Amino acid sequence: MRLQPVPAFNDNYIWLLVDHAGEGSAPEGASRALIVDPGDAAPVLDVLRDGPAPHGILLTHHHDDHIGGVAELLRHWPQLPVIAPHDARIATATRRVADGERIDIGPWHFDIIEIPGHTSSHIAFHGRTLEGMGLLFCGDTLFSLGCGRLFEGTPTQMLDSLRRLSALPVGTMVCCGHEYTVANAAFALTVDPANAALRERAAQAMTARDAGLPTLPVTLASERDCNPFLRIDTPAVLAALEHHLQRALVDDVDAFAELRRWKDGFSG
Ligand SMILES: [Zn+2]
């Protein structure tokens, strides 16, 4: 098995999940790939040249930097299933999926989780590798040490979406749509500077980026320990928010909305 973030544009990741010959139920000599959020076809074609045959495409949301390469990939593999949310803005979809559905694609199975907030129809795919490792493809909703901007949803929706993701098994490998970890770490450390796990994660992310390596995937356990957007009910994050706002918070939605607003205006 190979789980590979393929860099695209400035900071996007297109995720490839590949299983090789002799693994799981793959027939001898074959290897197969799943492509998640191909905003650009070229880097995918580069990786798949002489390599595994794609079995399908998963799309988390309609933004062009996540779906822009689909048409070109379909010119190479016209039969490829394209699994997407119910959203007419994704014209290349061959199958639309909704919350609670389970899809079978190649040797893999994924549960669909609707997570509105970044966009109104954003979904996540939660499944396992053939070896049993939990996987979450969550697009632009949960980032390492951060979360997506609210373009179409409300803070209530986004908080609910993040809580659904946060409740998945802690060993789940989180596969986000962008390499934002180091920039997110600067804000997270401003909010939660005494968090030892966060400081360790931030240092590890900077070392990885200095070496030209991705900071992803990351375990959900790490995000639950370090990501302030998953920790709005902890005393440290609440105290930092109230100090920043110079007022008492009303409830969780107020806390989440204010944390998101603080980050929107945060520069280094
Ligand atoms: Zn997006």
Side-chain angles (χ1 to χ4, degrees), residues 87-99:
D87 190 321
R89 295 172 292 191
I90 306 177
T92 50
T94 63
R95 180 176 168 192
R96 311 275 180 181
V97 291
D99 196 68

Side-chain angles (χ1 to χ4, degrees), residues 5 13 15 144 174-181 201 214-218:
Y13 284 136
W15 286 90
S144 183
V174 180
C175 305
C176 319
H178 290 267
E179 179 61 75
Y180 288 159
T181 312
R201 168 67 175 151
T215 65
L216 301 167
V218 61

Side-chain angles (χ1 to χ4, degrees), residues 170-206:
V170 292
T172 304
M173 300 305 287
V174 180
C175 305
C176 319
H178 290 267
E179 179 61 75
Y180 288 159
T181 312
V182 168
N184 286 344
F187 176 72
L189 286 167
T190 299
V191 175
D192 197 7
N195 183 333
L198 168 60
R199 281 159 41 181
E200 192 176 319
R201 168 67 175 151
Q204 178 261 332
M206 269 181 270

